Amino acid sequence: MADRRPEKACEQACESLKQQDYEVAVKHCTEALLSLSQYPPAHLPEPCQAELDRIKIETLLYRIASFLQLKKYGQADEDCRHVLGEGLAKGDGSLRAVLCCMHLKGKLQVVSNVLSKSLMGESLNGMVTKDLTRLKTLLAETEVIMTILLGK
């Protein structure tokens, strides 16, 4: 993948999320997703497609967390459906692999914290939280598995 714009925008989104600059994080996420949409999946070798999928999942997770912090619950829920729908539909473990890599790089905790706070502390304007709860459970399971595997 010669074009590094999606990856760079994803990294900038992560940094903005950590700095609690949610509007900027959403901007970077949207930029990354738009850049990713320029790659036709059918014409890429498997390793390149896997890397693009990783960037897309990470980017969507950062955007979900940012939308929740900005109280844009409908948009967060829509992105959540994309992560779960596309990630779990493949059935190849790629979603879990991305979550494990994010955990190892210390990037999963910030997303997990925002999801926990949103699901426990605040009212989501009566929004059905089934998908967000499912995603939070998946993140929590990943964190437990990685803690056990790493012996920490």
Side-chain angles (χ1 to χ4, degrees):
M1 186 174 78
D3 185 0
R4 289 286 188 221
R5 283 179 301 183
E7 186 173 24
K8 185 173 191 249
C10 181
E11 290 299 321
Q12 290 171 326
C14 181
E15 286 306 310
S16 296
L17 183 60
K18 287 178 182 177
Q19 295 168 6
Q20 300 180 352
D21 194 348
Y22 308 116
E23 292 284 353
V24 172
V26 168
K27 179 182 148 294
H28 289 304
C29 290
T30 302
E31 179 184 316
L33 293 169
L34 287 172
S35 292
L36 288 171
S37 69
Q38 297 173 10
Y39 296 96
H43 300 96
L44 293 172
E46 186 67 30
C48 289
Q49 187 58 52
E51 179 65 6
L52 292 176
D53 290 346
R54 178 198 63 80
I55 294 168
K56 182 177 182 181
I57 291 168
E58 264 191 57
T59 300
L60 284 169
L61 289 172
Y62 300 145
R63 196 163 79 165
I64 290 166
S66 297
F67 278 148
L68 288 171
Q69 291 295 83
L70 294 168
K71 302 189 183 321
K72 295 182 178 182
Y73 304 122
Q75 291 162 299
D77 190 50
E78 184 178 330
D79 280 355
C80 187
R81 276 185 256 130
H82 283 292
V83 169
L84 292 173
E86 294 171 20
L88 297 176
K90 286 184 180 181
D92 62 359
S94 58
L95 176 58
R96 180 75 74 177
V98 169
L99 297 178
C100 289
C101 287
M102 287 178 71
H103 177 82
L104 289 171
K105 293 177 182 178
K107 296 178 175 182
L108 191 61
Q109 189 66 45
V110 67
V111 175
S112 188
N113 288 345
V114 170
L115 272 169
S116 292
K117 178 183 167 201
S118 294
L119 289 169
M120 291 184 191
E122 304 173 10
S123 165
L124 300 182
N125 294 338
M127 186 180 89
V128 177
T129 60
K130 177 184 73 165
D131 291 326
L132 289 171
T133 301
R134 201 164 141 211
L135 179 59
K136 171 56 184 145
T137 301
L138 189 58
L139 298 183
E141 288 171 356
T142 301
E143 289 175 334
V144 168
I145 289 168
M146 294 304 293
T147 301
I148 291 169
L149 289 176
L150 297 173
K152 296 179 180 176

